[in-house]
Amino acid sequence: MKGRGLIWGVAVLVLVLAVAGCRTTKPSITGKEYSSDWHNVVLPMKVVIQGNAGITASGRMTMVRDESVYGSVRMLGMELFSVFAAGDSIWAYDKMSGTLLSERLGNDPTTGRRLDIGRLQDLLLGVNGVPSEFAVDAWKFRIVFEAADTLSTPYGLMRVGWNADVEGADMEEEVRWNFEEARWNSEKVGTWKYPRSPKRIISGSGELLKWLGLNE
């Protein structure tokens, strides 16, 4: 993947779900006991990528309900990259290369309707009728998402993460949310900061996908 495997740590879950126009299988439906009364949550996470770009990293996903999603992946305490979605836009910043990628939100990969931030959060948590398994045809790849087990949280049943098998790329990924250490409804949560001086800015799906190695 031209050295871009690491960006998939959160990108498979956020960029693909948010940007790709997709068709899905017909899977089972879960999450009926979910409550959306929470205002924000900070979720520690673990990312494991197997394949040519194998790596294990930690991080956190910060969500403000219906407003924003901020994912940060770190190794040895240093942020390697981040993904941020708000309004109708999404940004990914690769700190290693100083590259900032920006794109508009696309369609919900499970319904085909226009995606918004609240629905993106539902996808990540596996709630509100999100399938427990579905396939995404994204560019030249077929990505099969399979939800991990459900867990009872203060706001109902949620999925503890996702497995993603990127067919044709020799890559599998696991992302797990650590609900045991989740912080709900904090008075103050961390926010994404637009990079002061990115070395390179890529806007639009054509160049973005080419940079990620997905449009060859």
Side-chain angles (χ1 to χ4, degrees), residues 142-157:
R142 183 173 179 81
I143 304 172
V144 179
F145 287 87
E146 183 178 354
D149 294 338
T150 56
L151 181 72
S152 179
T153 76
Y155 297 92
L157 294 176

Side-chain angles (χ1 to χ4, degrees), residues 5 10 12 31 35 44 60-61 69 73 106 118 128-129 131 139 147 150 153 165 182 187 194 201 208 215:
V10 172
V12 163
S35 167
R60 67 188 179 206
M61 185 72 73
V69 172
V73 172
N128 276 350
W139 316 295
T150 56
T153 76
D165 181 10
E187 292 185 6
Y194 190 94
I201 299 177
L208 184 153
N215 200 24

Side-chain angles (χ1 to χ4, degrees), residues 11-163:
V12 163
L13 283 180
V14 181
L15 285 176
V16 173
L17 291 178
V19 175
C22 321
R23 294 185 178 182
T24 68
T25 57
K26 295 181 179 179
S28 60
I29 302 298
T30 61
K32 294 181 179 179
E33 298 179 36
Y34 166 73
S35 167
S36 60
D37 293 339
W38 57 276
H39 175 63
N40 62 55
V41 63
V42 180
L43 273 175
M45 65 181 177
K46 180 180 180 181
V47 180
V48 178
I49 301 175
Q50 300 176 357
N52 293 332
I55 196 169
T56 299
S58 60
R60 67 188 179 206
M61 185 72 73
T62 301
M63 303 184 199
V64 178
R65 185 63 187 164
D66 296 325
E67 292 184 13
S68 65
V69 172
Y70 169 28
S72 174
V73 172
R74 299 171 177 268
M75 288 187 70
L76 301 177
M78 180 179 68
E79 184 176 72
L80 299 179
F81 70 90
S82 59
V83 177
F84 180 72
D88 63 352
S89 300
I90 184 168
W91 296 266
Y93 183 56
D94 177 10
K95 208 164 187 176
M96 293 182 294
S97 67
T99 302
L100 177 68
L101 305 102
S102 64
E103 183 59 280
R104 297 288 184 185
L105 292 181
N107 294 329
D108 182 339
T110 65
T111 66
R113 295 190 293 270
R114 190 69 180 175
L115 190 67
D116 59 27
I117 297 299
R119 184 57 178 174
L120 178 57
Q121 293 168 344
D122 290 347
L123 288 168
L124 293 170
L125 297 174
V127 299
N128 276 350
V130 170
S132 60
E133 182 178 341
F134 60 94
V136 172
D137 294 320
W139 316 295
K140 68 176 183 178
F141 298 104
R142 183 173 179 81
I143 304 172
V144 179
F145 287 87
E146 183 178 354
D149 294 338
T150 56
L151 181 72
S152 179
T153 76
Y155 297 92
L157 294 176
M158 298 184 186
R159 292 289 183 176
V160 298
W162 289 91
N163 300 332

